[in-house]
Short mmCIF file of all heavy atoms in Angstrom, two decimals:
data_model
loop_
_atom_site.label_atom_id
_atom_site.label_comp_id
_atom_site.label_asym_id
_atom_site.label_seq_id
_atom_site.Cartn_x
_atom_site.Cartn_y
_atom_site.Cartn_z
N MET B 1 -19.01 70.10 -103.70
CA MET B 1 -20.37 69.86 -103.33
C MET B 1 -20.62 68.36 -103.33
O MET B 1 -20.08 67.65 -104.15
CB MET B 1 -21.31 70.52 -104.31
CG MET B 1 -21.28 72.02 -104.27
SD MET B 1 -22.43 72.75 -105.41
CE MET B 1 -21.38 72.85 -106.85
N THR B 2 -21.47 67.95 -102.42
CA THR B 2 -21.80 66.54 -102.29
C THR B 2 -23.31 66.38 -102.19
O THR B 2 -23.95 67.11 -101.47
CB THR B 2 -21.14 65.92 -101.06
OG1 THR B 2 -19.74 66.09 -101.15
CG2 THR B 2 -21.46 64.46 -100.93
N VAL B 3 -23.85 65.41 -102.90
CA VAL B 3 -25.27 65.08 -102.83
C VAL B 3 -25.40 63.59 -102.63
O VAL B 3 -24.68 62.81 -103.25
CB VAL B 3 -26.01 65.49 -104.12
CG1 VAL B 3 -27.44 65.02 -104.11
CG2 VAL B 3 -25.95 66.99 -104.32
N GLN B 4 -26.31 63.17 -101.75
CA GLN B 4 -26.54 61.74 -101.54
C GLN B 4 -27.99 61.41 -101.89
O GLN B 4 -28.90 62.09 -101.45
CB GLN B 4 -26.27 61.36 -100.09
CG GLN B 4 -24.82 61.50 -99.72
CD GLN B 4 -24.54 61.11 -98.28
OE1 GLN B 4 -25.43 61.10 -97.45
NE2 GLN B 4 -23.29 60.83 -98.00
N ASN B 5 -28.19 60.37 -102.69
CA ASN B 5 -29.50 59.86 -103.04
C ASN B 5 -29.67 58.50 -102.37
O ASN B 5 -28.87 57.60 -102.58
CB ASN B 5 -29.65 59.71 -104.56
CG ASN B 5 -29.60 61.03 -105.26
OD1 ASN B 5 -30.07 62.03 -104.75
ND2 ASN B 5 -29.02 61.05 -106.44
N TYR B 6 -30.71 58.35 -101.54
CA TYR B 6 -30.93 57.13 -100.78
C TYR B 6 -31.95 56.23 -101.48
O TYR B 6 -32.96 56.70 -101.97
CB TYR B 6 -31.41 57.44 -99.36
CG TYR B 6 -30.36 58.11 -98.53
CD1 TYR B 6 -30.22 59.48 -98.49
CD2 TYR B 6 -29.47 57.34 -97.79
CE1 TYR B 6 -29.23 60.09 -97.73
CE2 TYR B 6 -28.46 57.93 -97.02
CZ TYR B 6 -28.37 59.31 -97.00
OH TYR B 6 -27.39 59.89 -96.26
N TYR B 7 -31.65 54.93 -101.52
CA TYR B 7 -32.54 53.91 -102.04
C TYR B 7 -32.73 52.87 -100.95
O TYR B 7 -32.15 52.98 -99.86
CB TYR B 7 -31.97 53.30 -103.31
CG TYR B 7 -31.76 54.35 -104.40
CD1 TYR B 7 -30.49 54.87 -104.62
CD2 TYR B 7 -32.81 54.81 -105.16
CE1 TYR B 7 -30.31 55.85 -105.59
CE2 TYR B 7 -32.62 55.78 -106.13
CZ TYR B 7 -31.37 56.30 -106.34
OH TYR B 7 -31.19 57.26 -107.29
N SER B 8 -33.50 51.83 -101.20
CA SER B 8 -33.84 50.87 -100.15
C SER B 8 -32.63 50.14 -99.56
O SER B 8 -32.58 49.90 -98.36
CB SER B 8 -34.86 49.85 -100.66
OG SER B 8 -34.33 49.14 -101.74
N ASP B 9 -31.66 49.77 -100.38
CA ASP B 9 -30.53 49.00 -99.84
C ASP B 9 -29.16 49.62 -100.12
O ASP B 9 -28.14 49.03 -99.77
CB ASP B 9 -30.58 47.56 -100.35
CG ASP B 9 -30.52 47.46 -101.87
OD1 ASP B 9 -30.78 48.47 -102.54
OD2 ASP B 9 -30.19 46.38 -102.37
N TYR B 10 -29.10 50.77 -100.75
CA TYR B 10 -27.82 51.44 -100.99
C TYR B 10 -28.08 52.92 -101.23
O TYR B 10 -29.22 53.36 -101.31
CB TYR B 10 -27.09 50.85 -102.20
CG TYR B 10 -27.72 51.15 -103.54
CD1 TYR B 10 -27.26 52.22 -104.30
CD2 TYR B 10 -28.77 50.39 -104.05
CE1 TYR B 10 -27.83 52.52 -105.53
CE2 TYR B 10 -29.33 50.68 -105.27
CZ TYR B 10 -28.87 51.74 -106.00
OH TYR B 10 -29.43 52.05 -107.20
N TYR B 11 -27.01 53.70 -101.31
CA TYR B 11 -27.18 55.09 -101.70
C TYR B 11 -26.04 55.54 -102.60
O TYR B 11 -24.97 54.95 -102.60
CB TYR B 11 -27.34 56.03 -100.50
CG TYR B 11 -26.14 56.21 -99.61
CD1 TYR B 11 -25.24 57.24 -99.84
CD2 TYR B 11 -25.93 55.38 -98.52
CE1 TYR B 11 -24.14 57.42 -99.01
CE2 TYR B 11 -24.86 55.55 -97.69
CZ TYR B 11 -23.97 56.58 -97.93
OH TYR B 11 -22.89 56.76 -97.11
N GLU B 12 -26.35 56.54 -103.41
CA GLU B 12 -25.39 57.12 -104.34
C GLU B 12 -24.89 58.44 -103.76
O GLU B 12 -25.66 59.22 -103.22
CB GLU B 12 -26.02 57.44 -105.69
CG GLU B 12 -26.49 56.26 -106.46
CD GLU B 12 -27.20 56.64 -107.72
OE1 GLU B 12 -27.90 57.67 -107.74
OE2 GLU B 12 -27.04 55.92 -108.71
N ASN B 13 -23.62 58.65 -103.89
CA ASN B 13 -22.99 59.87 -103.40
C ASN B 13 -22.35 60.55 -104.61
O ASN B 13 -21.45 59.99 -105.23
CB ASN B 13 -21.94 59.51 -102.35
CG ASN B 13 -21.38 60.72 -101.68
OD1 ASN B 13 -22.09 61.67 -101.41
ND2 ASN B 13 -20.10 60.68 -101.38
N TYR B 14 -22.85 61.73 -104.98
CA TYR B 14 -22.30 62.49 -106.09
C TYR B 14 -21.42 63.60 -105.52
O TYR B 14 -21.84 64.32 -104.62
CB TYR B 14 -23.41 63.16 -106.92
CG TYR B 14 -24.22 62.20 -107.74
CD1 TYR B 14 -25.27 61.48 -107.20
CD2 TYR B 14 -23.94 62.03 -109.09
CE1 TYR B 14 -26.02 60.62 -107.96
CE2 TYR B 14 -24.69 61.17 -109.88
CZ TYR B 14 -25.73 60.47 -109.30
OH TYR B 14 -26.47 59.61 -110.06
N GLU B 15 -20.20 63.75 -106.05
CA GLU B 15 -19.32 64.82 -105.61
C GLU B 15 -18.83 65.60 -106.83
O GLU B 15 -18.39 65.02 -107.81
CB GLU B 15 -18.12 64.27 -104.85
CG GLU B 15 -18.50 63.65 -103.52
CD GLU B 15 -17.28 63.24 -102.72
OE1 GLU B 15 -16.30 64.00 -102.69
OE2 GLU B 15 -17.34 62.15 -102.14
N TYR B 16 -18.93 66.91 -106.71
CA TYR B 16 -18.46 67.79 -107.77
C TYR B 16 -17.54 68.82 -107.14
O TYR B 16 -17.91 69.49 -106.19
CB TYR B 16 -19.65 68.48 -108.45
CG TYR B 16 -19.24 69.49 -109.49
CD1 TYR B 16 -18.56 69.09 -110.62
CD2 TYR B 16 -19.51 70.84 -109.32
CE1 TYR B 16 -18.14 70.01 -111.58
CE2 TYR B 16 -19.12 71.76 -110.26
CZ TYR B 16 -18.44 71.34 -111.40
OH TYR B 16 -18.05 72.27 -112.32
N HIS B 17 -16.32 68.93 -107.68
CA HIS B 17 -15.31 69.79 -107.09
C HIS B 17 -14.96 70.99 -107.98
O HIS B 17 -13.90 71.57 -107.85
CB HIS B 17 -14.04 69.00 -106.78
CG HIS B 17 -14.29 67.86 -105.84
ND1 HIS B 17 -14.53 68.02 -104.51
CD2 HIS B 17 -14.38 66.53 -106.07
CE1 HIS B 17 -14.73 66.85 -103.95
NE2 HIS B 17 -14.65 65.92 -104.87
N GLY B 18 -15.84 71.33 -108.91
CA GLY B 18 -15.65 72.54 -109.70
C GLY B 18 -14.81 72.38 -110.95
O GLY B 18 -14.26 73.35 -111.43
N ASN B 19 -14.69 71.19 -111.47
CA ASN B 19 -13.92 71.01 -112.69
C ASN B 19 -14.79 70.28 -113.71
O ASN B 19 -16.00 70.44 -113.70
CB ASN B 19 -12.64 70.23 -112.39
CG ASN B 19 -11.53 70.53 -113.36
OD1 ASN B 19 -11.77 71.00 -114.46
ND2 ASN B 19 -10.30 70.26 -112.96
N THR B 20 -14.21 69.48 -114.57
CA THR B 20 -14.98 68.80 -115.61
C THR B 20 -15.32 67.36 -115.27
O THR B 20 -15.65 66.58 -116.14
CB THR B 20 -14.22 68.83 -116.95
OG1 THR B 20 -12.97 68.18 -116.77
CG2 THR B 20 -14.02 70.24 -117.44
N ALA B 21 -15.26 66.99 -113.99
CA ALA B 21 -15.54 65.61 -113.59
C ALA B 21 -16.50 65.58 -112.40
O ALA B 21 -16.49 66.47 -111.56
CB ALA B 21 -14.27 64.88 -113.22
N VAL B 22 -17.32 64.54 -112.36
CA VAL B 22 -18.21 64.27 -111.23
C VAL B 22 -17.88 62.86 -110.74
O VAL B 22 -17.81 61.93 -111.53
CB VAL B 22 -19.70 64.36 -111.65
CG1 VAL B 22 -20.60 63.95 -110.51
CG2 VAL B 22 -20.05 65.77 -112.13
N GLU B 23 -17.66 62.73 -109.43
CA GLU B 23 -17.36 61.43 -108.85
C GLU B 23 -18.66 60.83 -108.31
O GLU B 23 -19.42 61.50 -107.61
CB GLU B 23 -16.36 61.55 -107.71
CG GLU B 23 -16.01 60.24 -107.05
CD GLU B 23 -15.04 60.39 -105.90
OE1 GLU B 23 -14.77 61.52 -105.49
OE2 GLU B 23 -14.56 59.36 -105.42
N ILE B 24 -18.92 59.56 -108.64
CA ILE B 24 -20.10 58.85 -108.16
C ILE B 24 -19.64 57.65 -107.34
O ILE B 24 -18.84 56.84 -107.81
CB ILE B 24 -20.99 58.38 -109.32
CG1 ILE B 24 -21.46 59.57 -110.15
CG2 ILE B 24 -22.17 57.58 -108.79
CD1 ILE B 24 -22.20 59.19 -111.40
N THR B 25 -20.15 57.56 -106.11
CA THR B 25 -19.81 56.44 -105.24
C THR B 25 -21.10 55.74 -104.83
O THR B 25 -22.05 56.39 -104.39
CB THR B 25 -19.08 56.95 -103.97
OG1 THR B 25 -17.97 57.74 -104.37
CG2 THR B 25 -18.60 55.80 -103.12
N LEU B 26 -21.17 54.42 -104.98
CA LEU B 26 -22.30 53.61 -104.52
C LEU B 26 -21.89 52.95 -103.22
O LEU B 26 -20.86 52.27 -103.15
CB LEU B 26 -22.68 52.56 -105.55
CG LEU B 26 -23.13 53.06 -106.91
CD1 LEU B 26 -23.44 51.88 -107.83
CD2 LEU B 26 -24.34 53.96 -106.80
N ILE B 27 -22.72 53.11 -102.19
CA ILE B 27 -22.40 52.58 -100.87
C ILE B 27 -23.57 51.72 -100.40
O ILE B 27 -24.72 52.14 -100.45
CB ILE B 27 -22.14 53.72 -99.86
CG1 ILE B 27 -20.96 54.56 -100.37
CG2 ILE B 27 -21.89 53.16 -98.47
CD1 ILE B 27 -20.72 55.83 -99.63
N LYS B 28 -23.23 50.49 -99.98
CA LYS B 28 -24.24 49.55 -99.50
C LYS B 28 -23.83 49.05 -98.13
O LYS B 28 -22.72 48.51 -97.98
CB LYS B 28 -24.38 48.39 -100.48
CG LYS B 28 -25.47 47.41 -100.12
CD LYS B 28 -25.61 46.36 -101.21
CE LYS B 28 -26.76 45.43 -100.90
NZ LYS B 28 -26.96 44.47 -101.99
N LYS B 29 -24.67 49.28 -97.14
CA LYS B 29 -24.41 48.85 -95.75
C LYS B 29 -23.06 49.36 -95.26
O LYS B 29 -22.30 48.64 -94.61
CB LYS B 29 -24.50 47.34 -95.62
CG LYS B 29 -25.87 46.79 -95.92
CD LYS B 29 -25.94 45.30 -95.77
CE LYS B 29 -27.32 44.81 -96.13
NZ LYS B 29 -27.42 43.35 -96.06
N GLY B 30 -22.74 50.60 -95.59
CA GLY B 30 -21.51 51.22 -95.12
C GLY B 30 -20.25 50.85 -95.88
O GLY B 30 -19.16 51.27 -95.53
N VAL B 31 -20.39 50.04 -96.93
CA VAL B 31 -19.24 49.57 -97.71
C VAL B 31 -19.33 50.16 -99.11
O VAL B 31 -20.37 50.07 -99.77
CB VAL B 31 -19.20 48.03 -97.78
CG1 VAL B 31 -18.05 47.55 -98.66
CG2 VAL B 31 -19.10 47.43 -96.40
N THR B 32 -18.25 50.75 -99.58
CA THR B 32 -18.20 51.28 -100.95
C THR B 32 -18.14 50.10 -101.91
O THR B 32 -17.23 49.29 -101.86
CB THR B 32 -16.97 52.17 -101.15
OG1 THR B 32 -17.05 53.27 -100.23
CG2 THR B 32 -16.89 52.70 -102.57
N ILE B 33 -19.16 50.03 -102.79
CA ILE B 33 -19.18 48.92 -103.75
C ILE B 33 -18.78 49.36 -105.15
O ILE B 33 -18.45 48.53 -105.99
CB ILE B 33 -20.57 48.23 -103.78
CG1 ILE B 33 -21.68 49.21 -104.09
CG2 ILE B 33 -20.83 47.52 -102.47
CD1 ILE B 33 -23.04 48.58 -104.28
N LYS B 34 -18.82 50.66 -105.40
CA LYS B 34 -18.37 51.16 -106.71
C LYS B 34 -18.03 52.64 -106.60
O LYS B 34 -18.75 53.40 -105.98
CB LYS B 34 -19.47 50.97 -107.76
CG LYS B 34 -19.07 51.43 -109.15
CD LYS B 34 -20.20 51.20 -110.14
CE LYS B 34 -19.78 51.67 -111.52
NZ LYS B 34 -20.88 51.51 -112.49
N ARG B 35 -16.93 53.02 -107.22
CA ARG B 35 -16.53 54.42 -107.31
C ARG B 35 -16.11 54.67 -108.75
O ARG B 35 -15.32 53.93 -109.31
CB ARG B 35 -15.40 54.73 -106.36
CG ARG B 35 -14.91 56.17 -106.49
CD ARG B 35 -13.93 56.56 -105.44
NE ARG B 35 -14.68 56.79 -104.22
CZ ARG B 35 -14.24 56.52 -103.01
NH1 ARG B 35 -13.07 55.99 -102.83
NH2 ARG B 35 -15.00 56.77 -101.96
N ASP B 36 -16.68 55.72 -109.34
CA ASP B 36 -16.40 56.01 -110.74
C ASP B 36 -16.40 57.52 -110.95
O ASP B 36 -16.98 58.27 -110.18
CB ASP B 36 -17.47 55.36 -111.61
CG ASP B 36 -17.03 55.14 -113.04
OD1 ASP B 36 -15.87 55.42 -113.37
OD2 ASP B 36 -17.86 54.69 -113.85
N TRP B 37 -15.73 57.93 -112.01
CA TRP B 37 -15.69 59.33 -112.40
C TRP B 37 -16.33 59.46 -113.77
O TRP B 37 -16.10 58.64 -114.65
CB TRP B 37 -14.24 59.83 -112.52
CG TRP B 37 -13.54 59.95 -111.20
CD1 TRP B 37 -12.87 58.96 -110.54
CD2 TRP B 37 -13.46 61.11 -110.38
NE1 TRP B 37 -12.36 59.43 -109.37
CE2 TRP B 37 -12.70 60.77 -109.25
CE3 TRP B 37 -13.93 62.40 -110.49
CZ2 TRP B 37 -12.42 61.66 -108.24
CZ3 TRP B 37 -13.66 63.29 -109.48
CH2 TRP B 37 -12.90 62.93 -108.38
N ILE B 38 -17.13 60.49 -113.95
CA ILE B 38 -17.68 60.83 -115.26
C ILE B 38 -17.03 62.14 -115.68
O ILE B 38 -17.08 63.13 -114.94
CB ILE B 38 -19.21 61.00 -115.21
CG1 ILE B 38 -19.86 59.71 -114.76
CG2 ILE B 38 -19.74 61.42 -116.58
CD1 ILE B 38 -21.35 59.82 -114.58
N PHE B 39 -16.37 62.12 -116.83
CA PHE B 39 -15.68 63.30 -117.33
C PHE B 39 -16.50 63.97 -118.43
O PHE B 39 -17.07 63.28 -119.28
CB PHE B 39 -14.29 62.93 -117.85
CG PHE B 39 -13.37 62.46 -116.75
CD1 PHE B 39 -13.22 61.12 -116.50
CD2 PHE B 39 -12.67 63.37 -115.98
CE1 PHE B 39 -12.39 60.67 -115.49
CE2 PHE B 39 -11.85 62.95 -114.97
CZ PHE B 39 -11.70 61.59 -114.72
N PHE B 40 -16.49 65.28 -118.44
CA PHE B 40 -17.25 66.07 -119.40
C PHE B 40 -16.32 66.96 -120.20
O PHE B 40 -15.19 67.22 -119.79
CB PHE B 40 -18.31 66.91 -118.67
CG PHE B 40 -19.31 66.08 -117.93
CD1 PHE B 40 -19.10 65.70 -116.62
CD2 PHE B 40 -20.47 65.64 -118.56
CE1 PHE B 40 -20.01 64.93 -115.94
CE2 PHE B 40 -21.38 64.87 -117.89
CZ PHE B 40 -21.15 64.50 -116.57
N ASP B 41 -16.80 67.46 -121.32
CA ASP B 41 -15.99 68.34 -122.17
C ASP B 41 -15.88 69.75 -121.62
O ASP B 41 -14.95 70.48 -121.97
CB ASP B 41 -16.57 68.40 -123.59
CG ASP B 41 -16.44 67.06 -124.31
OD1 ASP B 41 -15.49 66.31 -124.00
OD2 ASP B 41 -17.30 66.77 -125.14
N SER B 42 -16.82 70.15 -120.77
CA SER B 42 -16.78 71.52 -120.23
C SER B 42 -17.27 71.52 -118.79
O SER B 42 -17.94 70.60 -118.33
CB SER B 42 -17.67 72.45 -121.06
OG SER B 42 -19.03 72.15 -120.85
N VAL B 43 -16.91 72.57 -118.09
CA VAL B 43 -17.36 72.75 -116.71
C VAL B 43 -18.88 72.88 -116.68
O VAL B 43 -19.54 72.34 -115.79
CB VAL B 43 -16.69 73.99 -116.08
CG1 VAL B 43 -17.29 74.33 -114.73
CG2 VAL B 43 -15.19 73.77 -115.97
N GLN B 44 -19.46 73.57 -117.65
CA GLN B 44 -20.91 73.76 -117.69
C GLN B 44 -21.64 72.43 -117.80
O GLN B 44 -22.64 72.20 -117.14
CB GLN B 44 -21.30 74.67 -118.86
CG GLN B 44 -22.77 75.04 -118.87
CD GLN B 44 -23.19 75.82 -117.64
OE1 GLN B 44 -22.52 76.77 -117.26
NE2 GLN B 44 -24.27 75.41 -117.00
N GLU B 45 -21.14 71.50 -118.62
CA GLU B 45 -21.75 70.19 -118.74
C GLU B 45 -21.69 69.42 -117.42
O GLU B 45 -22.66 68.77 -117.03
CB GLU B 45 -21.07 69.37 -119.84
CG GLU B 45 -21.39 69.82 -121.23
CD GLU B 45 -20.65 69.01 -122.29
OE1 GLU B 45 -19.50 68.57 -122.02
OE2 GLU B 45 -21.22 68.82 -123.37
N ALA B 46 -20.57 69.50 -116.74
CA ALA B 46 -20.42 68.82 -115.45
C ALA B 46 -21.37 69.40 -114.42
O ALA B 46 -22.03 68.66 -113.68
CB ALA B 46 -18.98 68.91 -114.97
N GLN B 47 -21.48 70.71 -114.38
CA GLN B 47 -22.41 71.36 -113.45
C GLN B 47 -23.85 70.98 -113.75
O GLN B 47 -24.62 70.66 -112.84
CB GLN B 47 -22.29 72.88 -113.53
CG GLN B 47 -21.04 73.43 -112.91
CD GLN B 47 -20.93 74.93 -113.09
OE1 GLN B 47 -21.65 75.53 -113.89
NE2 GLN B 47 -20.02 75.54 -112.35
N ASP B 48 -24.23 70.99 -115.01
CA ASP B 48 -25.59 70.63 -115.39
C ASP B 48 -25.92 69.20 -114.96
O ASP B 48 -26.98 68.94 -114.41
CB ASP B 48 -25.79 70.77 -116.90
CG ASP B 48 -25.77 72.22 -117.37
OD1 ASP B 48 -25.88 73.13 -116.52
OD2 ASP B 48 -25.62 72.42 -118.59
N PHE B 49 -24.99 68.27 -115.20
CA PHE B 49 -25.20 66.88 -114.80
C PHE B 49 -25.37 66.79 -113.28
O PHE B 49 -26.27 66.11 -112.78
CB PHE B 49 -24.03 66.01 -115.25
CG PHE B 49 -24.15 64.59 -114.78
CD1 PHE B 49 -24.91 63.67 -115.49
CD2 PHE B 49 -23.49 64.16 -113.64
CE1 PHE B 49 -25.02 62.35 -115.06
CE2 PHE B 49 -23.60 62.85 -113.18
CZ PHE B 49 -24.37 61.95 -113.91
N PHE B 50 -24.48 67.44 -112.53
CA PHE B 50 -24.52 67.37 -111.08
C PHE B 50 -25.85 67.92 -110.55
O PHE B 50 -26.50 67.28 -109.71
CB PHE B 50 -23.35 68.17 -110.48
CG PHE B 50 -23.36 68.15 -108.98
CD1 PHE B 50 -22.89 67.03 -108.29
CD2 PHE B 50 -23.82 69.23 -108.25
CE1 PHE B 50 -22.89 67.02 -106.90
CE2 PHE B 50 -23.83 69.22 -106.87
CZ PHE B 50 -23.37 68.10 -106.19
N TYR B 51 -26.28 69.06 -111.03
CA TYR B 51 -27.51 69.67 -110.52
C TYR B 51 -28.77 68.93 -110.98
O TYR B 51 -29.78 68.96 -110.28
CB TYR B 51 -27.58 71.14 -110.90
CG TYR B 51 -26.56 71.96 -110.16
CD1 TYR B 51 -25.60 72.68 -110.84
CD2 TYR B 51 -26.53 71.99 -108.76
CE1 TYR B 51 -24.65 73.43 -110.14
CE2 TYR B 51 -25.58 72.72 -108.07
CZ TYR B 51 -24.66 73.44 -108.77
OH TYR B 51 -23.71 74.17 -108.09
N GLU B 52 -28.71 68.24 -112.10
CA GLU B 52 -29.87 67.46 -112.57
C GLU B 52 -30.00 66.14 -111.81
O GLU B 52 -31.07 65.56 -111.79
CB GLU B 52 -29.77 67.19 -114.06
CG GLU B 52 -29.97 68.42 -114.92
CD GLU B 52 -29.69 68.18 -116.38
OE1 GLU B 52 -29.42 67.02 -116.76
OE2 GLU B 52 -29.72 69.15 -117.14
N ASN B 53 -28.92 65.66 -111.20
CA ASN B 53 -28.93 64.36 -110.53
C ASN B 53 -28.88 64.47 -109.03
O ASN B 53 -28.34 63.60 -108.34
CB ASN B 53 -27.75 63.50 -111.03
CG ASN B 53 -28.00 63.02 -112.43
OD1 ASN B 53 -28.86 62.18 -112.64
ND2 ASN B 53 -27.29 63.59 -113.38
N ASN B 54 -29.44 65.49 -108.47
CA ASN B 54 -29.51 65.56 -107.00
C ASN B 54 -30.90 65.76 -106.54
O ASN B 54 -31.83 65.77 -107.22
CB ASN B 54 -28.60 66.65 -106.45
CG ASN B 54 -29.00 68.04 -106.85
OD1 ASN B 54 -30.16 68.36 -106.88
ND2 ASN B 54 -28.03 68.84 -107.17
#
């Protein structure tokens, strides 16, 4: 699953692939400026984070 949050000069792209990690990518003017993974102790925690941040 992918969710994009738009702001005035960049947007966040959250990706969740059904495991214990969520990938967050910050994109500004079509260029990826940051890509990071947030790891959780359980699948439920990762799902909760993903659904709360979209």
